[in-house]
Amino acid sequence: MIKHCLFPAAGYGTRFLPATKSMPKEMMPIVNKPLIEYGVDEAIQAGMTSMAVVTGRGKSSLMDHFDKNYELEHQIQDTNKEPLLDDIRSLIDSAHYTFIRQREMKGLGHAILTGKELVGDNPFAVVLADDLCINESQGVLEQMAALFRQFRCSIVAVEEVPESETHKYGVIAGEHLSDDLIRITDMVEKPEQGSAPSNLAIIGRYILTPDIFDILEETEPGKGGEIQITDALLKQAQSGCVIAYKFKGKRFDCGSVEGYIDATNYCYEHVYLKGSKVSINKSSTKKL
Ligand code: G1P
């Protein structure tokens, strides 16, 4: 069983300035929940109980969100607004939360390496919270955790993207084991336009075996002068096995304004309105 889930959350979120000037991008709401809460929910549904967040300066609201707020609890106790806290209370009670600061911005690989102290010598999941994944019957991490039990190696979630978009992602190539599983033989971080090895882009869900930390320690800065998880995973694929999985579900790039709006519209209709507490939400959110 995978117990740990790592959330790299130290980035500046510059694409959403000025909204992210003093608020972490992971706290931007999709309808009534911050982005990171969707990721934590997905991890808990997959059976994970240890949430490890890699933060940076100005990110203390992430810590506060996953802690009790006694003043607020006291204020809304026994009012019709109290059920609005049910979901977050349940997430707080279902897992424990640890935080570590990434002091230098040296890329996603470096952020993951910073989380080593929190994760230890265990396989772990990684969630990039600005990729919001929705599958109402089985979350993407749960799908990947089941594959991990089968393959016992690192797994990355991939999605087909138009060729014109491949330069925004890590892109993989390899041998198809089935329609939705590929054994990776090549991986390139943000390839130049026209040079991608395929149109299969890595999205922000990974399961990593702990030997990735040793590899990351040896990984030289790559694209953009940053330590890239894609480069470390290619080494792991070449010396062992890394599987790419075409996940089932929808994914929204909430790091872009268009993706954020699409996610908001989709979640309003398919998550918020379908939620069990909708009548309470509707009547009470107006007054909040
Ligand atoms: C990161 C990874 C990239 C991956 C992407 C998914 O890039 O480096 O390989 O495809 O996340 O969202 P970023 O979007 O942080 O630049």
Side-chain angles (χ1 to χ4, degrees):
M1 277 292 271
I2 296 175
K3 291 283 165 210
H4 299 269
C5 187
L6 191 68
F7 294 83
Y12 294 122
T14 46
R15 283 192 284 177
F16 268 96
L17 283 170
T20 47
K21 186 163 171 268
S22 62
M23 176 180 74
K25 65 173 175 173
E26 297 77 14
M27 287 303 288
M28 298 227 343
I30 299 292
V31 193
N32 60 338
K33 290 184 196 181
L35 265 172
I36 193 159
E37 202 179 311
Y38 289 87
V40 167
D41 203 11
E42 190 185 322
I44 288 175
Q45 274 177 33
M48 296 162 198
T49 51
S50 173
M51 307 298 144
V53 188
V54 179
T55 66
R57 263 186 303 278
K59 300 267 187 171
S60 50
S61 59
L62 286 171
M63 270 187 246
D64 293 339
H65 191 69
F66 293 102
D67 195 2
K68 284 212 161 76
N69 178 339
Y70 288 102
E71 208 178 305
L72 176 66
E73 305 261 341
H74 180 72
Q75 284 289 328
I76 68 167
Q77 200 176 359
D78 300 329
T79 71
N80 66 340
K81 289 172 192 161
E82 197 172 4
L84 293 174
L85 285 183
D86 283 356
D87 288 354
I88 184 65
R89 277 177 174 162
S90 151
L91 294 192
I92 291 171
D93 290 342
S94 306
H96 71 265
Y97 295 82
T98 52
F99 299 85
I100 192 165
R101 279 216 190 189
Q102 187 184 4
R103 275 184 241 122
E104 295 165 285
M105 295 297 156
K106 292 205 275 187
L108 180 57
H110 181 255
I112 292 173
L113 186 55
T114 305
K116 179 180 176 182
E117 298 305 317
L118 305 181
V119 164
D121 192 22
N122 299 294
F124 61 102
V126 175
V127 168
L128 307 184
D130 52 11
D131 272 338
L132 176 61
C133 292
I134 308 273
N135 179 317
E136 278 124 81
S137 49
Q138 190 184 35
V140 176
L141 277 186
E142 195 178 341
Q143 298 167 37
M144 293 172 77
L147 284 174
F148 178 76
R149 287 195 284 277
Q150 190 184 340
F151 288 97
R152 299 268 151 200
C153 69
S154 292
I155 300 167
V156 298
V158 294
E159 174 175 78
E160 285 182 28
V161 297
E163 230 174 274
S164 58
E165 300 274 297
T166 50
H167 66 285
K168 298 180 182 169
Y169 297 94
V171 180
I172 67 106
E175 302 149 19
H176 273 264
L177 303 176
S178 65
D179 277 353
D180 54 7
L181 292 173
I182 299 121
R183 188 181 172 138
I184 293 177
T185 53
D186 196 12
M187 280 177 114
V188 187
E189 179 64 15
K190 303 197 176 81
E192 300 300 321
Q193 227 144 18
S195 69
S198 79
N199 67 340
L200 289 172
I202 302 169
I203 62 114
R205 298 291 180 277
Y206 304 75
I207 285 182
L208 303 175
T209 52
D211 54 307
I212 199 73
F213 291 128
D214 290 340
I215 303 176
L216 278 168
E217 263 158 21
E218 303 288 312
T219 301
E220 299 289 331
K223 191 83 184 182
E226 296 186 327
I227 297 172
Q228 300 292 350
I229 188 64
T230 306
D231 297 342
L233 278 165
L234 178 59
K235 286 188 211 161
Q236 211 182 29
Q238 286 165 342
S239 60
C241 179
V242 177
I243 301 282
Y245 168 55
K246 284 198 218 172
F247 65 96
K248 294 182 180 61
K250 276 192 166 293
R251 167 250 172 192
F252 298 94
D253 171 16
C254 295
S256 76
V257 173
E258 299 73 25
Y260 181 79
I261 299 298
D262 287 348
T264 303
N265 289 331
Y266 185 89
C267 288
Y268 176 68
E269 197 181 329
H270 297 270
V271 181
Y272 178 76
L273 287 184
K274 282 191 188 159
S276 56
K277 290 181 289 297
V278 113
S279 57
I280 296 158
N281 281 343
K282 273 188 150 174
S283 59
S284 52
T285 42
K286 278 185 194 138
K287 290 184 224 141
L288 281 175

